[in-house]
Each structure stands twice: as structure tokens, then as C-alpha cells.
Amino acid sequence: MELLSGNEAIAQGAWEAGVRIGVAYPGTPSTETMESFAEKEGVYAEWCPNEKVALEVGIGASAAGARVLATMKHVGVNVAADPLFTAAYTGVGGGLVILAADDPGMHSSQNEQDSRFYALAARMPMLEPSDSAEALAFTREAYDLSERFDVPFLIRSTVRISHTKTPVEIGPRLEHDLKPYEKDAAKWVMMPAFAKPRRKVQDARTAELREWVEKCPYNVVERKGAEIGIVCAGATYQHVAEALPEASVFKLGVTWPLPARALEAFAESVDRLYVVEEASDYLSNQIRSLGIELSAAPGKELPPDGELTPSMIRLAFGMQEAEHIPTQGDVPGRPPALCAGCPHRLVFKELSRLRAIVTGDIGCYTLGALPPLSAMDTCVDMGASISMAHGFELALAETKHRPVVAVIGDSTFGHSGLSSLLNTVYNQGAGTVCILDNRTTAMTGQQGNPFNGITLQKRPTRELDLEGILAALGIEDVSTVDPHDMTAVRSTLKRATDSENLSVIVFRAPCVLIDRTRKPAFTVTQDCRACGVCPTLGCPAIAKDPDTGMAAIDDVMCIGCGQCAQYCGFSAIVPTADRTKGGADAR
């Protein structure tokens, strides 16, 4: 018996099933799945530039006869949707399982969505575990099912399943030889002449899946009283079991297709039937579409967004909250912030000074939108910064307007920014693009990407030449700048935004979590005039006395980057080794 997170359990289940190849793009809450899989014996795993590419690699490996695991977060499924829908037509060679890790509550995402709608739309079976033991078992068994029904299987997790550790029984690996590849254009070439017959294959498969799911052991009925029946799935089941211990529960392990006859029988066995689900109406709508009547919860309505808790469920059924220690009311808020010494900070500070319209992107640099920097105007999806900047320039072309600047990270540029920039160049767009190259995929845990040349399993490779790629696109104005140098950042941004042509600036310096070198901390001397400039950098190591307005630096958090000293007009911020500089004692 071991304690594994849902992500680790999915990786273990894939390994036990004899999976040879794993493909992914990192994205919370899915990231650790592929990292865990990559550490296992006898497997190949890679980070791909994006989820679409990852799934296409996976489909190719499956066609060649290997068992494959592809992992992504819910918004990554959007990126992979093109090959996903067609893979439901082609089917598989070796078993193919795709993890879609949803994020109710948006702990690390730009939206809340329910990947079960993809299973419904693509008519691709989806399994939904409620703990790590089921995550392992469902994943392991999904490969046999994938090959049996000739279709990829989806595994849906949510952040609580992905990151919570529960006991599991691990097992041995069962090796599977490559299935011999045989040319079969009718199966793999999805031109209309072949896709039309494959649609009929899909229809016949769907009918088989609907019969299979009626007796599937993953759907479990827990009989208690006949007064209340609850239908739920995934992490929500754990909350229902805690909140309503006397209710009968139909725990769905397969959320597409639904077991129509089994659900009808369960509904007939209880006085009132309810669905409990978080941030979605997927189950409610699908069960109603079967002609099954659902009752409205008698108490406080469940929230339509965010995660559920046992207390919310108890209140929805007219019960009191369980006894608990109330949350302390005077705890100060701790909003996220760029790390002390982050190489992105001065870029955002100077963009704020320029009053630029900043179209942002997905990554830790999104924090540049928050006070006191407040330097980002938009953030929609991976790669959108460059495309949206082009859109701003088009709309404002005949007006006098503030500078338009796109900000994107190195990994995100490789993910989907390259094609966006290609469009801007092709259509002779203007504006400024800042590529914040911190040598890693930082927000998801410092993974490798094509521009830092670090692969998932540390295989020999090469670091792609970012400036060379920009030049190959035909961009003439390309600059590379140290983002810790305030003067260089300011002057380069000013020159680029004054230009009528397209300019690209590569701000290159390693993330402070990659290069952990610490220089002597800085301190504030008595020369401080309480001007209030240094706190506007938003560095968590800098504080301001609420009474005097004088600045102070936490020497434990300070890494000695010296960014703040460059903004002090009174030379009152100095390294600790020079703290008596100017004849004043350090504060």
C-alpha cells in the first residue's frame, strides 16, 4: 500500500498497463502525471511544444502499435480538440488514453470548463475516478478497453483528484508487444471518402459502448435509505459521502456514455433523485435527457461555479453545517506576486511608465497585471498576446494611441506564439513584442521547452536559436536585453515603441528558481526620503512603514538583484556590504 496523488496513480496505472510512450505539455493540475511517468523504467516521455502536437505524436505512436499516455489540463484539451475529434473516427492501434485535468475553482487557470462535454461531443468514452485507487485502476484497465472498442479513452480528473494523496495498491508492469502496423488507408486517412464510413463505425461503436456501460463495474450503487438518491462522480462523491451519509448514491465511474437503464432503475428505487456536481450542469442535463426526473435541492442552492464542499452540500439539503473551527477573520490577504529578483519585474515597471497597452499571455508573468505594477491589459489564452496586439494595432491604426506591446514567455512562444507572430509578419503588422525568456516553463514547475533545450528525460538535444528564428521570419528589428538592467530595458522599450515597424525584444535572464545564486542583500539607509518609488516595484522583499513611509528590505527574502537600487533617486538602497555608504547608518 502506498500513498499516491491522483496524478501519480494515473502514471502508475499507465506503466502497469505496459505503456511505452508518454506525451504532454505541462499544465496544472496535470503536470506531475507525465513527470512521474517519465521516471519509470522502460518508458519514453517528452514535453511537446503544445497539446495538439502532443496528441498527434500520441496518435502516431498508437497507430504504430504502442500503448500511449497523453496528458493535459482542461484548456489544453481545447488546443488538442482538432486531432481529438478525428481520433474518435480513426480509432487506435495500441491503446491510447488521454488525461483531461479540470480545474474547478480556477486555482491556476483562466477559465472553468467541464471536459465531459468533449467526451459527449466527440463520442469518446470517459472514465472519472473518485480517488487515487480508482485513478490507477481505471487508467490501467482503460488500455484494454481502448483496444477492445478501437477508440481512445479519456480520463477526467479535477484538481482535488490530481493533487490529493490516497492509499493505492500498486502492481507489476505487464509488457505489451507492439501491435504490427499494417497499411490501412480506410482507417487512418480521414479524407471524406474514408471518413464517411468511419462515421458509421463510430455509430456502431457507440451502440456497443452504451451496452457495455450498463454493466460496467466502475459505476457503483451504494444503497442506504430510499428517501434520497444522489448521482455524482469524481471528487464530488467524496463530499457527498461525508455530507449525506444516509443517502443512497449512484457513483458514476463512466461519465460518457451514461448507463441509461441503470440510472432509470436507481431513480425508481428512491423517492427523490438529485444530481450533485460542481461548476457544471453536464450530469443534470444528460440525465434529464434520458427522461429521468430530478428534484431541486430543498435548501440553499448549490453555487454554479467553483468547487463544492461538504458544508455547501449539507446546506443545500437543509441541514446545518458540521461543527468546525471558524476561519480567522483578521488574516491579511496574500495575493500572488512575482518572486523577489524576478527578471520580469522591470519590464512591467517600464511598460507601466510608458502607459502602454499590454496584451499579456499565460504564465507567471500574468502577475504583472496586479498592483502595484498594473501593467497588463489582457490575458486570454496561450499565444493570444501577439495576435491580440495585432488586433489592437489594426483597430487603432487611424488614431493617435498609446504604444501596443505584446508580452509572452519563451515556453508560451513555442506553444502557440510562433504562429501568431508569423501572422503579424505576414500581414505587415506593427507594434512591439516582448519575449520574456526566463529559460524555463516557470509557473508549472520549471519544465523544459524548445528554447532552453532541456527535455523531460534529460536526453541530449539542442537549444533552439530564438533570435535566429525571429530573423528567419524576416523581422529586422530584434534586440536582446538583460531585464535586470533598468536603463537598457527603458531605452530599448522606448526606441521600439517609437518605431512604426514591428519590433521584437528578447528579455533574457534565468528564473530565480532556476539560478538560485544569492548576492549580498540590499538594505535601506537613513538617506531614504520616503518617496514611495521602490514599493511600486511590487517586490515582496520591500515593505513600507505605514507611519513614516520609509522603505525597508527583508534581508531573508532579498536575493541581491539590485533592481530596487536602480530606481532609488537618493542612493539610499545599497548592498549590505556597503550599508554605511553616504555616511548614514543602515536602518
Side-chain angles (χ1 to χ4, degrees), residues 197-392:
R198 289 303 296 182
R199 169 57 193 257
K200 296 186 182 300
V201 170
Q202 187 188 51
D203 290 341
R205 176 202 299 138
T206 298
E208 293 177 13
L209 285 166
R210 293 192 189 283
E211 288 301 314
W212 163 77
V213 78
E214 293 291 345
K215 298 180 180 178
C216 173
Y218 309 150
N219 298 320
V220 178
V221 174
E222 298 179 351
R223 294 284 179 188
K224 300 289 180 65
E227 183 179 350
I228 294 176
I230 307 290
V231 180
C232 57
T236 303
Y237 162 76
Q238 304 294 347
H239 302 323
V240 168
E242 180 178 338
L244 306 172
E246 303 304 318
S248 290
V249 176
F250 195 128
K251 181 179 70 170
L252 287 165
V254 181
T255 45
W256 194 88
L258 293 181
R261 296 195 299 274
L263 284 167
E264 289 170 1
F266 181 71
E268 291 172 358
S269 72
V270 295
D271 296 336
R272 293 183 301 280
L273 183 67
Y274 304 90
V275 168
V276 177
E277 56 186 330
E278 56 187 8
S280 181
D281 56 5
Y282 169 81
L283 283 179
S284 300
N285 287 342
Q286 292 308 302
I287 291 173
R288 286 194 179 98
S289 73
L290 299 174
I292 298 173
E293 183 178 349
L294 297 177
S295 299
K300 185 177 181 180
E301 187 175 355
L302 286 170
D305 62 306
E307 292 185 286
L308 294 182
T309 66
S311 291
M312 292 176 183
I313 296 170
R314 287 179 63 87
L315 291 174
F317 284 84
M319 305 167 67
Q320 291 184 340
E321 288 188 87
E323 291 186 10
H324 62 281
I325 299 173
T327 302
Q328 189 174 338
D330 58 351
V331 177
R334 296 186 63 186
L338 297 172
C339 299
C342 176
H344 304 332
R345 178 167 281 109
L346 300 193
V347 176
F348 285 117
K349 176 63 177 175
E350 292 304 314
L351 287 172
S352 181
R353 288 184 75 255
L354 278 172
R355 296 186 65 250
I357 298 170
V358 179
T359 54
D361 228 297
I362 307 298
C364 53
Y365 47 87
T366 307
L367 298 173
L370 301 180
L373 294 169
S374 302
M376 188 178 289
D377 292 74
T378 68
C379 177
V380 174
D381 70 319
M382 300 282 274
S385 57
I386 300 174
S387 305
M388 290 184 67
H390 181 52
F392 266 93

Side-chain angles (χ1 to χ4, degrees), residues 140-214:
R140 181 184 60 223
E141 294 161 24
Y143 286 93
D144 288 337
L145 293 168
S146 174
E147 292 169 359
R148 171 183 166 186
F149 290 105
D150 188 25
V151 66
F153 264 62
L154 289 159
I155 301 282
R156 179 186 187 246
S157 76
T158 58
V159 64
R160 298 300 162 188
I161 299 300
S162 291
H163 291 161
T164 300
K165 294 197 174 191
T166 61
V168 300
E169 290 281 358
I170 64 172
R173 178 173 171 85
L174 298 177
E175 295 290 349
H176 282 263
D177 293 335
L178 280 175
K179 288 191 169 186
Y181 172 72
E182 296 181 1
K183 185 179 179 67
D184 186 354
K187 176 176 171 64
W188 293 108
V189 181
M190 287 300 95
M191 57 191 291
F194 295 140
K196 291 177 182 179
R198 289 303 296 182
R199 169 57 193 257
K200 296 186 182 300
V201 170
Q202 187 188 51
D203 290 341
R205 176 202 299 138
T206 298
E208 293 177 13
L209 285 166
R210 293 192 189 283
E211 288 301 314
W212 163 77
V213 78
E214 293 291 345

Side-chain angles (χ1 to χ4, degrees), residues 4-21:
L4 296 181
S5 69
N7 283 342
E8 293 169 328
I10 289 168
Q12 177 68 22
W15 181 79
E16 290 181 12
V19 171
R20 294 171 177 240
I21 294 171

Side-chain angles (χ1 to χ4, degrees), residues 438-453:
N438 63 357
R439 320 305 297 144
T440 190
T441 311
M443 182 165 268
T444 53
Q446 296 86 56
Q447 290 80 24
N449 66 65
F451 294 109
N452 67 18

Side-chain angles (χ1 to χ4, degrees), residues 77-91:
V77 183
N78 301 335
V79 179
D82 194 355
L84 179 79
F85 276 74
T86 304
Y89 275 41
T90 65

